[in-house]
Amino acid sequence: MLECGPAPAPQDLCSHQESLSMVAAPSDGFHGSQWRSTCLLPTEEQKRDVGHPGRATLDESLGDRSPWEEELLGQIRAMSDSQRSRVLEAIQHRIEEHTQVITIPGGSSGLGLQLPRAGHWGPSTVFCLQLLWKEVADPGIRELLAPLNLEPQQPVEKAFLFLVYGLILRECASSDLVRRHLMRLLELSHQTAGQREGMAVASGIASSSHLQEVWATLEHLGRTRVLRTACTSPDYQEPYADVHWRWVSSTSLLCYGHMALHAGEHILPWVDNVISRMVYYFSCSCYDNILETSFLSAAVMLVKALKQEHSTRRYRFTQIPELIQCLLAILQKEPNFLATLFRQKIILVIMELSKLRPSLKPVVKSRILQTCLQSLYMLPPMEMLKSCLPPLDLAPDVMVLYQKSMQALDLLLQTFISENKSMDEMCFLLQHTEPWLKSDKSHECKRVVQTIFLLLKYVVDYVKLTDEATPSMLGHQIGLLMLLWRDRDPVTQSHSRQCIYLLLQLLIQQKGSMGQFMHLNKMKNFEAKALRRSEMKFYNLVKALDRSLTPAQHTQLILTLLGGLCSHDHLQCDLASQLVLMIFQNQSIKVEQVAEILQGLFQELPSIVFKNILQTMMKAVTMLGTQHTQETVEVMLSLCHPSERQVLPLWKALASNNQLARKVLMLLYMKLKLRPPKELVRLSQQAELISLLALGTIYELLYTREYKATVRWAFAGILVGLLTQLHYLFELDVVEGISDYQEDSLEVKPLSPCRTCLEALKGLFWTTNYWEVFAYLQLLRGWELFEHLETYTEGVTLLARAMAHYDCEVKAVLGQAVISLKSSEERDNIVAILVITEFLNSQELTQYMSRRAMDNFLSLGLSSPNQLVRAMSLKGLTSILMDPKKVVLLRNQLAGLLDSFMGPEPQDLMGLMEILGDILHSLGTQGIGATSIRMAQHLLSLFEDAPVRGGAISLFGDVVHSGGKKYRPALKRQAFQALVPLLFHLVDSCPAVVMKTKLTFLRCAILLKWEFRKELFGKLAWGHGLGAENDIFIYMVESNFGSYHQFLMQALIYLGSPHKNLKRMAMKFIGGILQDYFTDLCFSLKRGDLKIFKKYLEVLKKDSDSVSRRFYQNFLEDITELSKFVRQ
C-alpha cells in the first residue's frame, strides 16, 4: 500500500541528507497566469534541470578540486592585482555581452549553472576559456590560459565565467578591488536564473577570503537596490531598466546562502546576521515563485553549512523561529497537488533547524505541525492525485513525490520526539493530529492514523522516554483513536487499533510492569488469531486501558468518547456509546471522576441525534448512579437550575432502578435539610444554596412519571421537608414573587424559591392522587395561607386537618412529625406539633400510636422554648383522644346549642354555627350520631336565608361527614337533597358564599361517590363560563342516573327566587334537563308533577324579566308535548 511503510530506524534519520543535497537550488518556478506564483509550467532552463541534482552540484565541486582547477588557481595566484582586474573586467564584459544577446525584455530565460564535475573537462568550459583568450591582450594572461590547451568551436558555458570570477576575487589581496569588482558584477542584470545563481556563486567563493567585504557589498546592494524594488508588483509590466533589478532580492538571498556555505568555521559569528537578512528580504519583497525558490535554496545551503560545523550544537541561535516562519509561509502557498518536491524540501530543512539550540518554543513547533500536517493531509486522495495535475510537458511521478513528502513528515515528527524524549512531547505531537482524526474525509483520517502509527512504532522500537509524566490529554488522544475502530476503511481500523496497543505498551514500559506487558502481548496475539466478535476485543482493550490510565487520563478518554456521541455518523455514535457503557460496566470510574464525566455528558446531551444512542447513555448514567449515588446526585444538582429542565433526562435515568430512585430522593431530602442560618447566608449566595437546588429538583421530579411510585413511597418525608423548607425561606426573607403567581397564565417564568416550595407542596398531593386534600385547601383558598409567615401556621393546620379527614398518609406523616418534634431546629418543632395536634382528630390515629406514646411526645413539646409549640402541645394533651371523658361534656353542650339553633327565633345564627362547627371538629372520631341528620335537615332549610346561607352551606359539608358509618346512608340522602340548591349557589352573588358552596358541593359528590369527582373539582376550581357550567351539570346528572325528575322538581322553586343569579341558573338547569333527558322524564314524571311544573312556569309568563318570558315561550311547547306522555 502506498500510504503505509515501516518506521525508519535511527540510522535512517541521516538518510535525508541525500535529499537535501538535491535541493540546494530548486527551479525558479513556472510561468502562466492561470496559476499562482508557485505554479507549474517550467522555464526552458528548468526543464533541463529536471531529474538532475541541480545547481547544488556546484557545491560538491568545491569540495574536491580537479587538476585543472588546481592549475588555474596557481596561475591566478601568480597574477598581479592589475592583471586580475583586467581579467575580471573582461569576464564582466563577456557576461554582459552574452546576457544582451540571449535576454528578451520582460522574460526570464537564461542559461542554467551546470558546472563540470570534479575530474572532468567539459567542452563548454573549454570554449569559455577560449572566449577569454580572445578578450585578453596581455601576453601574461594569455600565458596563464595557454597550458589549458583550449580548442575552439564549442558551445558557451556562462557558469564557468562566474566560477573564475569568484576564484579571482577570492585570491585578491586588495579589499577595494574585491568591493569594486563584486559591485560591478552585482550591477549586471538579475533577470535570469543563471545570472542570479552565478552572481551568488561568485559572491560565495569571494566571501571565503573576504567575508567582511562581501557582506558590506551586499549591505550596500540591499540599501540601494533591494529595498527600492521590494514592493514592485511582479505582474506590472515595467520598463526594461526596471526588469534589470526586478529579482535582485532573489540574488541577495542566494548570495547569503553561498556565503554561509563558504564561511566554514566562521559561519557561527555571522549566522544570525545572515538569517536576519534572509528573513527581512523575503518578508519585504514581492512574493513570487522565484523569490520562494531562491529563499529555499539559501535555507538549504545554510543548513548544510551548519551541519558541517561541529560547534553548531553548542551555539545559541536567535533567528531560527523567524527563518522557519518564512519557510512555513512558502509551504502554505503550495498548490493542492503534487508536482515538485518543495514540500519535502521545506519539511527537511525545518527538521534540521529544529535540532539547533535553543530548542524551539512550543508555539513555534505548534505552527510547524499545523502547517505541515495541513499541507500534506489536505492533498486529494491517492487515486486523484495524478488527475489533479495541470498539463505538463514532463509529468512527475506523483506517487514518488507523495511518498517522499510523507517520509519527510515522519522524519520531522521523529526528530521532535528524539529531541524531547517525554510523554508530554508525545501528547504535544498527537494533539496536532486531532483535527484530522475528526475529519469527515476518509483519506485524511487514513493519512493521519498512518502517521501516528509510524511515530508510535518508532518510539516503541527506538526511543526510551526519559520521564514518567502522565499527561491527562493522552486519554483524549486515545479516545479519538478508539472512535475510529469501526471506520469504514479497514486500513484506518487496523492502524487505529494498533496505535492503542502501542500507546498501552508505552504506558506499561513507563510503569515497568512486566506482568501487564506480557498480558498486552497475549492480547495482541489473541486478537490476531481469534475470530471473535469485535465487542469482545473492545472489552479487552477497555479493561487494559482502565488498568493503565491514571484517573485524569481515564476521564479525558471518557469525555472524548462522549464527544463522539454527537456525530451524524450512526456507526461512530453507536461505537462511542457502547464503549462508554463498557467502561461504566467495568466499574472503573473513581469518585473524583464523576463530576467531570457528568458535566461532559450533560453538555453533549442536546446534540445527540439518534434516539437509541440516548437510551444507551441513560443506561450508563443508571450504572454510574448505582456505583456513586451521592456524588452523582451532588453533581447533577450543580449542572443547571432545575427549572431549566435540561438535566431532567439524567434524573429520569436514575429512576429506572427502584432502589436507586429511593436513594436519590433520600439524598435530595437530606440536601433539603442543609439550611445554614440567615446570618451565614449572603444575598448573592441565596440562589446557590444546596437546599434550594434540592427543592427545585424535587419540584420537577414530582411531575416526572418515572418517579411517581418513589414519590408516593417518600411522601411523608417530602411533605415535612417542604413545610419546614417554606418556613426556612420565610426566615431568610426570600418571599419575593410568592403572591404574584398566576395559575392560568401562559407566560413561562422561573418561580421564586418560596413559590417553588409552595407549588411543590401542592404538587405533592396532586401527583400522588391525594387530590381531595388538594381540593379541600384549594376551594377554601387555604394554599394562600402559606404565602405569608403570619398565616403560615393556619395553613399547616388546615392542611393537616384535610389529611386527617381523608386519611392521607397519616401513619407515615405522623412518624416524620415525631422525628421533627425531637429536632433541635425550632421550625421543625413548629411543623411537627401543628401536624400532630390536628392528627389527634383522625379516626385511625389510635391504630398507629398508643395514647401513652402520644402523651410522651406531647409532653416533650411542653419544654420547647417556642411559645407556639408549648401552646399546641397543651392543646393536644387536652384533646378528646387524650381525655375521652370530654366526649360526654361536648355532646351535652351540643344538645343545648342545637335547641337554640333549631328554635323558632334563634339569636346570632352565625355565632351558633361557628360554635357547632368547633364542637364537631373537637369530637372528631366520636361524631354526633343521629344528631347529624337533624342538623343537616335544618341547615338545608337555611340555604336560602340570605344572611346566614354561607355559614349554613359550609357547616352542612362538615355535618354530612360527622355521622359515622351507621348514619352515612341517611346523610347521603341529605347530601342528595342539597345538590340542586348547591349547584345554583355556585353562581351566588357573594364570592364568599360561592367559595363555600364549591367545597360543600364537592364534599357531597365525594360522599355520594360520583364517578368524575376529580374532574368535577377541576371545573369547580379553575373552570369559567358556560363550558364549565355545562360540564358540572353533566357530572351531576350523569352521576345520579334516574334522578332527573327529582332534580327538575327541586329546581322549580328557584324560578320564583328573588335572586336573579339563582333564578337564571334554575332556568338553564331546567332547560338542560328538558332538552337532554326528555324521554326519561316521560317515564318518571307524574300528572301531579306536571301540574306543579306548569304552575311555576305560568308565573314566568307575566314576569317583568324578558329572559324569564323568553324561557316560558321557548319551553311551553315542550311542556305540552310532555303532558301527552306523562303517566297518571
Side-chain angles (χ1 to χ4, degrees):
M1 189 190 68
L2 289 173
E3 296 204 16
C4 184
Q11 58 267 29
D12 294 339
L13 286 172
C14 301
S15 63
H16 69 281
Q17 295 179 10
E18 181 180 352
S19 299
L20 279 176
S21 70
M22 300 174 64
V23 300
S27 58
D28 280 345
F30 308 98
H31 299 290
S33 59
Q34 66 271 35
W35 303 104
R36 60 177 182 74
S37 59
T38 54
C39 54
L40 288 173
L41 301 178
T43 62
E44 291 300 319
E45 62 177 306
Q46 289 167 341
K47 291 178 182 177
R48 290 195 293 273
D49 287 340
V50 174
H52 296 281
R55 292 179 286 277
T57 53
L58 172 64
D59 306 326
E60 296 171 0
S61 67
L62 295 175
D64 188 11
R65 295 172 181 167
S66 60
W68 67 266
E69 189 175 351
E70 293 290 347
E71 185 176 354
L72 180 61
L73 284 173
Q75 295 294 336
I76 292 173
R77 288 167 183 163
M79 290 182 183
S80 66
D81 284 347
S82 60
Q83 290 176 324
R84 292 170 181 165
S85 181
R86 288 198 298 274
V87 172
L88 291 173
E89 291 172 356
I91 294 175
Q92 292 169 20
H93 177 72
R94 190 64 192 150
I95 292 174
E96 187 173 8
E97 182 182 76
H98 185 274
T99 303
Q100 291 174 351
V101 171
I102 63 172
T103 301
I104 301 172
S108 60
S109 301
L111 296 176
L113 270 132
Q114 185 68 30
L115 299 181
R117 289 188 179 274
H120 293 81
W121 266 99
S124 58
T125 304
V126 174
F127 189 61
C128 282
L129 295 174
Q130 183 185 18
L131 292 175
L132 280 176
W133 178 278
K134 293 178 180 179
E135 293 292 329
V136 179
D138 191 303
I141 298 178
R142 286 179 176 271
E143 184 179 353
L144 165 69
L145 303 176
L148 298 178
N149 298 318
L150 303 178
E151 297 181 5
Q153 302 168 351
Q154 297 293 337
V156 134
E157 181 86 33
K158 189 167 60 171
F160 184 70
L161 300 179
F162 291 107
L163 175 63
V164 173
Y165 201 95
L167 292 172
I168 294 174
L169 288 178
R170 187 180 70 184
E171 300 302 325
C172 286
S174 171
S175 299
D176 292 338
L177 186 146
V178 171
R179 287 196 188 95
R180 184 172 68 254
H181 284 286
L182 182 58
M183 196 65 227
R184 288 180 181 176
L185 178 68
L186 293 174
E187 288 177 349
L188 297 176
S189 173
H190 296 263
Q191 186 176 2
T192 66
Q195 194 96 342
R196 295 190 295 273
E197 183 89 19
M199 294 177 185
V201 168
S203 301
I205 295 173
S207 69
S208 59
S209 296
H210 303 283
L211 186 56
Q212 292 187 355
E213 288 77 8
V214 173
W215 177 266
T217 304
L218 290 177
E219 287 287 280
H220 176 73
L221 180 69
R223 289 192 302 271
T224 59
R225 294 297 179 182
V226 175
L227 298 181
R228 186 177 300 175
T229 60
C231 297
T232 304
S233 171
D235 299 326
Y236 178 69
Q237 299 298 320
E238 302 99 330
Y240 181 75
D242 290 336
V243 175
H244 179 96
W245 295 105
R246 179 171 170 177
W247 288 286
V248 64
S249 55
S250 297
T251 304
S252 298
L253 290 172
L254 292 171
C255 288
Y256 287 120
H258 281 280
M259 277 183 64
L261 201 60
H262 289 83
E265 61 184 12
H266 302 294
I267 180 62
L268 293 181
W270 288 85
V271 65
D272 288 321
N273 288 333
V274 169
I275 295 175
S276 68
R277 291 298 182 272
M278 289 172 58
V279 170
Y280 182 64
Y281 289 162
F282 176 81
S283 302
C284 69
S285 299
C286 195
Y287 188 90
D288 61 8
N289 55 325
I290 294 176
L291 181 72
E292 72 172 22
T293 303
S294 301
F295 184 83
L296 180 57
S297 299
V300 170
M301 288 184 275
L302 176 68
V303 168
K304 283 187 177 181
L306 293 174
K307 283 176 64 66
Q308 293 169 5
E309 178 56 40
H310 299 296
S311 58
T312 299
R313 300 289 292 182
R314 298 192 300 272
Y315 186 80
R316 294 185 67 81
F317 297 82
T318 62
Q319 300 292 319
I320 297 303
E322 289 76 9
L323 179 60
I324 289 176
Q325 181 58 37
C326 295
L327 291 167
L328 294 178
I330 297 174
L331 189 58
Q332 286 176 320
K333 294 180 182 292
E334 280 297 289
N336 199 34
F337 50 78
L338 280 174
T340 68
L341 282 173
F342 259 44
R343 285 180 170 86
Q344 180 209 24
K345 296 171 185 178
I346 292 171
I347 294 173
L348 290 177
V349 170
I350 293 174
M351 179 196 72
E352 291 296 337
L353 293 174
S354 67
K355 298 177 182 179
L356 303 177
R357 295 293 176 268
S359 299
L360 296 178
K361 293 181 178 179
V363 66
V364 178
K365 291 169 73 172
S366 182
R367 200 156 52 234
I368 293 170
L369 291 168
Q370 290 172 5
T371 307
C372 293
L373 295 180
Q374 181 176 356
S375 180
L376 290 176
Y377 292 160
M378 289 187 69
L379 288 170
M382 290 291 293
E383 59 273 12
M384 295 175 60
L385 270 177
K386 192 168 185 179
S387 62
C388 290
L389 288 175
L392 294 173
D393 293 338
L394 184 60
D397 189 335
V398 177
M399 298 307 170
V400 172
L401 293 178
Y402 174 80
Q403 288 179 337
K404 288 187 176 182
S405 300
M406 293 302 294
Q407 287 169 3
L409 176 62
D410 294 336
L411 288 170
L412 175 68
L413 297 176
Q414 292 169 16
T415 300
F416 281 165
I417 195 66
S418 298
E419 291 293 310
N420 183 8
K421 301 174 182 178
S422 68
M423 188 61 79
D424 285 327
E425 182 71 9
M426 174 62 70
C427 285
F428 177 79
L429 299 179
L430 294 179
Q431 178 184 345
H432 291 82
T433 64
E434 180 174 340
W436 314 104
L437 287 172
K438 294 179 177 180
S439 174
D440 295 330
K441 298 177 180 178
S442 177
H443 66 280
E444 292 179 354
C445 268
K446 186 175 182 180
R447 286 168 181 165
V448 68
V449 175
Q450 175 187 327
T451 300
I452 295 172
F453 168 70
L454 292 175
L455 174 63
L456 292 173
K457 189 73 170 64
Y458 169 79
V459 174
V460 168
D461 291 343
Y462 303 111
V463 178
K464 180 174 177 58
L465 300 182
T466 55
D467 61 7
E468 295 184 4
T470 56
S472 62
M473 285 308 294
L474 181 62
H476 172 66
Q477 289 142 7
I478 290 175
L480 292 175
L481 289 166
M482 291 174 74
L483 290 173
L484 297 175
W485 282 358
R486 284 185 185 166
D487 193 86
R488 290 176 174 82
D489 189 302
V491 177
T492 303
Q493 273 192 35
S494 175
H495 275 153
S496 64
R497 215 166 291 172
Q498 291 178 65
C499 286
I500 300 298
Y501 279 119
L502 290 169
L503 283 168
L504 274 171
Q505 193 167 338
L506 284 175
L507 289 170
I508 293 171
Q509 286 176 355
Q510 269 193 309
K511 293 180 179 180
S513 174
M514 185 57 65
Q516 289 190 33
F517 184 76
M518 299 285 290
H519 178 71
L520 181 64
N521 282 334
K522 288 181 180 179
M523 281 177 57
K524 290 172 66 176
N525 296 332
F526 179 77
E527 182 175 330
K529 296 176 183 178
L531 298 174
R532 300 182 62 184
R533 291 167 50 243
S534 59
E535 284 72 15
M536 183 56 68
K537 300 176 186 178
F538 295 166
Y539 183 70
N540 291 333
L541 271 177
V542 165
K543 289 181 67 176
L545 288 168
D546 290 343
R547 288 192 297 267
S548 304
L549 297 178
T550 64
Q553 291 171 338
H554 197 241
T555 301
Q556 289 300 318
L557 166 63
I558 297 172
L559 292 177
T560 305
L561 295 178
L562 292 176
L565 300 172
C566 305
S567 170
H568 288 269
D569 181 352
H570 187 271
L571 205 61
Q572 187 180 86
C573 289
D574 185 64
L575 171 63
S577 64
Q578 293 300 325
L579 288 172
V580 172
L581 193 61
M582 285 181 190
I583 293 173
F584 285 16
Q585 286 173 334
N586 203 31
Q587 298 189 3
S588 56
I589 307 297
K590 305 288 191 301
V591 171
E592 61 267 27
Q593 296 178 253
V594 174
E596 204 168 349
I597 290 172
L598 276 176
Q599 289 165 359
L601 175 59
F602 177 67
Q603 291 175 357
E604 305 297 344
L605 276 181
S607 304
I608 296 178
V609 179
F610 303 103
K611 186 176 180 179
N612 67 315
I613 304 301
L614 193 58
Q615 292 171 344
T616 303
M617 293 320 301
M618 293 305 102
K619 291 180 183 177
V621 172
T622 304
M623 292 180 185
L624 184 63
T626 304
Q627 297 164 22
H628 304 286
T629 310
Q630 181 172 341
E631 292 75 16
T632 301
V633 169
E634 290 173 352
V635 173
M636 285 168 60
L637 284 173
S638 67
L639 290 177
C640 70
H641 194 275
S643 63
E644 297 176 16
R645 299 186 181 177
Q646 293 96 325
V647 76
L648 197 55
L650 299 181
W651 290 112
K652 289 181 179 179
L654 298 183
S656 59
N657 179 309
N658 187 46
Q659 291 300 319
L660 178 58
R662 292 188 174 189
K663 287 183 181 179
V664 168
L665 277 184
M666 287 175 62
L667 285 168
L668 288 174
Y669 172 71
M670 298 304 296
K671 301 296 179 186
L672 192 65
K673 295 175 69 175
L674 298 177
R675 303 170 181 132
K678 181 179 180 179
E679 299 76 27
L680 301 179
V681 179
R682 289 183 294 182
L683 187 63
S684 59
Q685 295 177 328
Q686 287 179 355
E688 301 172 6
L689 287 176
I690 192 70
S691 65
L692 297 188
L693 296 175
L695 169 64
T697 303
I698 290 173
Y699 173 63
E700 295 298 332
L701 298 187
L702 291 176
Y703 295 93
T704 303
R705 178 177 53 83
E706 290 80 359
Y707 280 90
K708 187 173 182 180
T710 312
V711 168
R712 188 70 177 258
W713 169 80
F715 180 93
I718 296 175
L719 173 63
V720 175
L722 291 174
L723 289 173
T724 51
Q725 179 72 8
L726 186 57
H727 196 285
Y728 172 68
L729 294 174
F730 282 129
E731 294 172 18
L732 293 182
D733 199 24
V734 190
V735 295
E736 183 181 356
I738 189 171
S739 301
D740 300 337
Y741 181 71
Q742 296 179 348
E743 291 181 336
D744 54 353
S745 175
L746 296 178
E747 186 179 0
V748 179
K749 291 182 179 179
L751 300 178
S752 66
C754 264
R755 192 72 223 185
T756 301
C757 191
L758 180 51
E759 290 302 312
L761 189 61
K762 294 161 67 175
L764 177 63
F765 290 93
W766 186 259
T767 57
T768 52
N769 209 32
Y770 292 121
W771 65 269
E772 295 96 340
V773 177
F774 180 93
Y776 189 93
L777 268 76
Q778 181 71 23
L779 296 178
L780 283 179
R781 301 182 67 178
W783 296 118
E784 296 177 12
L785 298 173
F786 289 97
E787 296 179 1
H788 307 280
L789 181 59
E790 296 77 14
T791 56
Y792 170 82
T793 55
E794 295 177 44
V796 176
T797 299
L798 187 62
L799 179 62
R801 182 177 302 172
M803 293 177 64
H805 179 75
Y806 291 106
D807 192 26
C808 171
E809 299 283 346
V810 171
K811 179 180 179 181
V813 175
L814 181 63
Q816 285 291 330
V818 168
I819 295 172
S820 296
L821 194 59
K822 299 175 181 178
S823 170
S824 59
E825 294 289 344
E826 194 173 273
R827 72 181 76 90
D828 293 345
N829 302 155
I830 293 173
V831 171
I833 197 62
L834 290 172
V835 170
I836 290 173
T837 51
E838 279 302 319
F839 276 8
L840 292 174
N841 299 313
S842 172
Q843 298 177 3
E844 288 81 13
L845 187 66
T846 53
Q847 300 177 18
Y848 311 137
M849 188 175 294
S850 66
R851 283 191 178 89
R852 183 175 180 181
M854 185 59 65
D855 184 85
N856 292 335
F857 291 127
L858 291 172
S859 299
L860 184 65
L862 293 175
S863 60
S864 171
N866 184 273
Q867 182 180 357
L868 176 63
V869 175
R870 294 196 303 272
M872 295 303 296
S873 299
L874 185 60
K875 180 181 177 181
L877 288 168
T878 58
S879 65
I880 290 178
L881 181 67
M882 304 305 295
D883 188 4
K885 297 178 182 179
K886 287 188 176 182
V887 175
V888 178
L889 295 175
L890 284 174
R891 283 181 175 173
N892 291 336
Q893 185 181 9
L894 178 63
L897 290 172
L898 281 177
D899 291 338
S900 300
F901 179 62
M902 296 181 184
E905 294 182 2
Q907 299 294 320
D908 190 16
L909 272 178
M910 287 299 297
L912 279 173
M913 285 190 288
E914 288 182 14
I915 296 172
L916 289 172
D918 290 339
I919 293 175
L920 285 177
H921 177 64
S922 298
L923 285 171
T925 59
Q926 304 300 321
I928 57 175
T931 308
S932 59
I933 301 174
R934 291 173 53 208
M935 285 185 67
Q937 291 172 343
H938 186 69
L939 288 169
L940 190 57
S941 66
L942 297 176
F943 280 11
E944 308 310 321
D945 190 342
V948 298
R949 66 185 186 280
I953 290 172
S954 178
L955 185 57
F956 181 86
D958 293 333
V959 169
V960 294
H961 283 84
S962 62
K965 294 182 180 179
K966 181 178 179 181
Y967 299 97
R968 190 168 295 166
L971 290 172
K972 283 185 177 181
R973 288 192 292 272
Q974 295 300 317
F976 177 81
Q977 291 297 321
L979 290 177
V980 171
L982 289 172
L983 178 66
F984 294 168
H985 278 285
L986 290 176
V987 295
D988 196 283
S989 58
C990 177
V993 172
V994 172
M995 182 186 72
K996 294 175 181 178
T997 302
K998 286 181 178 180
L999 177 60
T1000 301
F1001 188 77
L1002 179 64
R1003 296 180 75 178
C1004 289
I1006 295 173
L1007 181 65
L1008 296 171
K1009 297 184 178 180
W1010 288 3
E1011 184 177 354
F1012 302 103
R1013 298 186 297 275
K1014 191 173 183 180
E1015 291 77 5
L1016 172 64
F1017 160 68
K1019 295 301 177 182
L1020 291 172
W1022 302 294
H1024 298 286
L1026 293 175
E1029 290 178 4
N1030 185 62
D1031 289 339
I1032 294 172
F1033 167 80
I1034 293 173
Y1035 296 148
M1036 172 180 161
V1037 177
E1038 291 295 327
S1039 298
N1040 294 274
F1041 180 76
S1043 302
Y1044 319 120
H1045 69 289
Q1046 297 176 30
F1047 290 150
L1048 180 65
M1049 299 310 293
Q1050 281 182 290
L1052 289 176
I1053 61 174
Y1054 286 91
L1055 292 177
S1057 174
H1059 302 289
K1060 185 181 292 185
N1061 290 351
L1062 300 183
K1063 184 176 181 179
R1064 290 189 175 180
M1065 186 65 174
M1067 287 189 286
K1068 289 181 184 179
F1069 181 79
I1070 293 170
I1073 292 288
L1074 289 173
Q1075 284 183 343
D1076 297 341
Y1077 303 98
F1078 186 86
T1079 304
D1080 297 275
L1081 291 174
C1082 291
F1083 292 98
S1084 57
L1085 283 177
K1086 298 179 181 179
R1087 290 289 182 182
D1089 298 332
L1090 200 56
K1091 288 179 181 180
I1092 297 173
F1093 192 177
K1094 288 180 179 180
K1095 175 184 174 183
Y1096 280 100
L1097 198 62
E1098 285 296 328
V1099 176
L1100 300 178
K1101 181 178 180 181
K1102 300 177 182 180
D1103 199 298
S1104 59
D1105 183 18
S1106 60
V1107 175
S1108 301
R1109 295 196 302 272
R1110 189 162 55 249
F1111 175 79
Y1112 169 79
Q1113 293 169 359
N1114 291 340
F1115 291 98
L1116 181 61
E1117 186 178 345
D1118 291 337
I1119 300 301
T1120 305
E1121 186 70 19
L1122 190 61
S1123 62
K1124 298 178 183 179
F1125 302 98
V1126 170
R1127 59 191 175 88
Q1128 295 294 330

